[in-house]
Amino acid sequence: MDVMTAVLTRRSEHVLHAPAPDDAEFTYLLRGASLAPDHGRLRPWRWILLRSEERAELGLSIAAETDAGAAETERLRNKYQRAPLSAALVFAPREHPVPEWEQLAATSCMAHSLMLLLHARDYGSIWRTGRLATSSAVGEFLGLRGSERLLGILDIGTPDAASGRSRRVPDDVSGNITRFKVPGDRAPGPAPAGSQGGR
């Protein structure tokens, strides 16, 4: 699958079944994704992989934090077991001259690269954020440290065959592009007679 096909056919998959990549395959794909632009090669992130009953604990953590009743607790317990693999992306900014916003941008680039690599291997994925990303109980359950914060959970598995891989038609983004032009009063004048151009 070429890169443009991967970009045009990838989508968030709401229904995911087994199989999902095992730890070794996930690591292999992550090694590729880690080559995304990253000023300083800081890798200011880490992944935490949850499978089986571990995923249910995400919902139970939120339920305990919000004093949910029995019915809501069961709903939350099931909510976070919708995929065979839930990968928690933890942003772990480094003390470094590279500013934190740029480290976050590098983390986002890595995550998108991973999603494309998963798609190219016939896996599907979808981001889960919302309460997950802000819950102190979930952060404690996952063992977040210091300045680390949870950006979200990437649910991973095999999508329904019926979901297909039709190519999406990209939006017209020409309005988001401008060609820079030097204002008239700052426009460079003609080169002096006898001068040479750039080397």
Side-chain angles (χ1 to χ4, degrees):
M1 181 185 298
D2 66 85
V3 177
M4 182 59 85
T5 297
V7 169
L8 293 179
T9 57
R10 189 213 65 81
R11 63 205 62 213
S12 296
E13 299 288 355
H14 293 268
V15 180
L16 295 165
H17 309 283
D22 60 21
D23 290 2
E25 186 176 13
F26 183 92
T27 301
Y28 170 75
L29 295 175
L30 183 57
R31 290 179 66 186
S34 71
L35 298 177
D38 182 351
H39 188 187
R41 305 301 299 153
L42 300 178
R43 296 194 178 94
W45 44 262
R46 62 189 181 98
W47 289 92
I48 303 172
L49 306 185
L50 298 95
R51 304 177 191 272
S52 303
E53 285 299 311
E54 300 161 357
R55 299 163 301 157
E57 291 298 326
L58 293 171
L60 294 177
S61 295
I62 293 176
E65 185 177 53
T66 57
D67 294 324
E72 178 64 6
T73 295
E74 186 62 18
R75 187 189 73 81
L76 288 168
R77 183 181 186 280
N78 294 329
K79 180 178 180 179
Y80 296 106
Q81 297 188 87
R82 294 176 292 193
L85 171 61
S86 293
L89 176 55
V90 178
F91 178 50
R94 314 297 188 202
E95 289 289 339
H96 195 275
V98 174
E100 185 171 314
W101 72 262
E102 194 169 352
Q103 296 185 42
L104 180 59
T107 301
S108 301
C109 288
M110 174 278 300
H112 186 239
S113 295
L114 179 62
M115 294 172 77
L116 290 176
L117 289 168
L118 287 164
H119 175 58
R121 284 215 165 190
D122 295 325
Y123 294 117
S125 63
I126 184 171
W127 269 115
R128 305 290 187 187
T129 53
R131 185 64 185 263
L132 269 174
T134 59
S135 167
S136 58
V138 170
E140 183 177 350
F141 168 67
L142 293 174
L144 301 193
R145 306 182 292 259
S147 61
E148 291 183 338
R149 62 183 189 265
L150 179 65
L151 296 184
I153 300 284
L154 187 64
D155 275 354
I156 303 169
T158 300
D160 276 342
S163 67
R165 285 198 166 184
S166 58
R167 294 171 72 94
R168 291 181 289 184
V169 178
D171 294 334
D172 179 6
V173 295
S174 58
N176 297 80
I177 304 169
T178 56
R179 176 70 170 87
F180 179 75
K181 295 181 179 179
V182 178
D185 58 349
R186 292 169 47 203
S195 67
Q196 296 182 354
R199 297 177 183 175

